[in-house]
Amino acid sequence: MARVGIYPGSFDPLTMGHVNIVQRSLRYFDVVVVAVLNHPEKRAMFTPEERAGLIADVFTDEKRVQVDHFGGLLVDYVRSRGADAVIRGLRAVQDFEYEFQMTMMNRRLAPDLDTVFMMTDEEHFYIASRTVKEVAKLGGTIDGLVPEQVKAAMFEKLGRSQ
Ligand code: PNS
C-alpha cells in the first residue's frame, strides 16, 4: 500500500523552505499531499485557490506530489484521505512550541495519527512566507527564497516589474 503523507499549511506563498520539506518527505512517503488551508484571510496575498495553483505548477513534473485544499479540522481531513501521517517542517527553536501544541491537540483528537517533523536545510532555516512577503512588498530581492513561478506571481500582485 502506498504511504501517503499530508503536508498541511497556509502556503501564502510556497517558499523554497516548503519545497525542501516536500522533496525530503518524498524519500519516506510514496505520495505527498500538499494541503492548503481553505481559510481566506484578509491579510493574505493569495487566495487558497491561487496558492494551490502555484504549488501544482511548481511540482508539475513530480507525479508523487498532489495538491489539495482542506477546511475544518486537519485530523478529519487526514482521515478522509486515508493518509498515514502529517508532515510539518521545523526551522529554528521558535517553531517548536507552536508545533508541539498543534501536534498534541491533534493527537488528543486522533490518537493514532502521528506528525512527522522534517528539519529544513540550513540554507532555508530563516525563510518564512511572512518575511518573504514583507521583503517583496518593500522592494527587496527574493531571488532564491521562492520558486520562480511564485516570484512572478508575487510581483504581479504587487505591480512590481523586477
Ligand atoms: O502554515 P501554517 O499556517 O503554520 O499551518 C497551520 C495549519 C494549517 C497546519 C493549522 O492551522 C491547521 O491544521 N488548521 C486546521 C484546523 C485544525 O485542525 N486545528 C486544530 C489543531 S490546533
Side-chain angles (χ1 to χ4, degrees):
M1 277 250 291
R3 291 197 71 78
V4 179
I6 303 281
Y7 181 31
S10 304
F11 303 109
D12 183 49
L14 183 85
T15 67
M16 290 311 285
H18 296 130
V19 170
N20 184 251
I21 297 295
V22 171
Q23 285 166 344
R24 289 172 175 280
S25 302
L26 285 168
R27 299 180 190 161
Y28 308 103
F29 293 93
D30 301 305
V31 173
V32 172
V33 181
V34 184
V36 180
L37 181 68
N38 227 343
H39 181 62
E41 260 203 54
K42 275 207 199 103
R43 283 180 310 158
M45 182 174 269
F46 296 99
T47 65
E49 290 73 22
E50 288 172 331
R51 298 177 212 172
L54 282 170
I55 299 166
D57 202 13
V58 169
F59 291 106
T60 193
D61 292 332
E62 181 46 84
K63 300 299 170 216
R64 295 194 296 133
V65 174
Q66 297 176 9
V67 186
D68 199 1
H69 297 262
F70 79 102
L73 285 176
L74 175 63
V75 293
D76 291 340
Y77 170 71
V78 174
R79 278 201 197 102
S80 76
R81 295 277 323 212
D84 297 283
V86 171
I87 301 163
R88 290 286 290 173
L90 273 183
R91 286 163 303 191
V93 196
Q94 87 258 9
D95 284 343
F96 183 81
E97 196 170 334
Y98 170 57
E99 296 297 335
F100 184 75
Q101 273 182 355
M102 262 197 321
T103 301
M104 287 305 151
M105 185 58 80
N106 287 336
R107 187 170 293 170
R108 190 183 162 88
L109 296 167
D112 293 342
L113 179 65
D114 269 321
T115 302
V116 176
F117 289 96
M118 308 290 290
M119 204 72 102
T120 50
D121 270 347
E122 59 195 24
E123 70 203 82
H124 299 120
F125 84 96
Y126 65 92
I127 305 177
S129 299
R130 186 178 52 79
T131 49
V132 171
K133 277 186 289 194
E134 188 169 319
V135 170
K137 277 179 194 161
L138 297 174
T141 176
I142 54 167
D143 288 351
L145 303 180
V146 293
E148 281 300 312
Q149 300 93 319
V150 173
K151 179 182 150 186
M154 289 177 82
F155 280 17
E156 200 182 321
K157 284 267 178 200
L158 296 169
R160 261 183 78 168
S161 52
Q162 52 164 320

